[in-house]
Amino acid sequence: MTYDRLVCANCAAPVSEGRCPVCRANRERLQQDSFLAGLNPTTLIALLVVLIAAVALLAAHQTV
């Protein structure tokens, strides 16, 4: 889940805006959790397609 859709329970503002200390702390924690956490779904799907294509090419190369 990306933090741009989360709403802070402390200040009722989007966490991505970082209006209060709780928002800022959670925003930083979510950004540091994973490098894939900040990617949108379209980018993740594109990376998955590239990975599948690379594995298919590798498998085809080894069978020849």
Side-chain angles (χ1 to χ4, degrees):
M1 175 182 283
T2 58
Y3 67 93
D4 58 337
R5 296 180 184 235
L6 296 177
V7 176
C8 178
N10 191 43
C11 68
V15 172
S16 61
E17 292 179 6
R19 292 185 183 176
C20 72
V22 175
C23 291
R24 287 188 291 274
N26 281 322
R27 180 178 61 187
E28 288 181 22
R29 182 184 57 83
L30 287 170
Q31 287 176 341
Q32 293 174 358
D33 278 349
S34 172
F35 73 95
L36 294 176
L39 297 177
N40 62 14
T42 306
T43 307
L44 290 175
I45 291 171
L47 287 173
L48 182 62
V49 167
V50 169
L51 179 64
I52 290 171
V55 169
L57 286 173
L58 182 63
H61 180 68
Q62 288 183 353
T63 58
V64 171

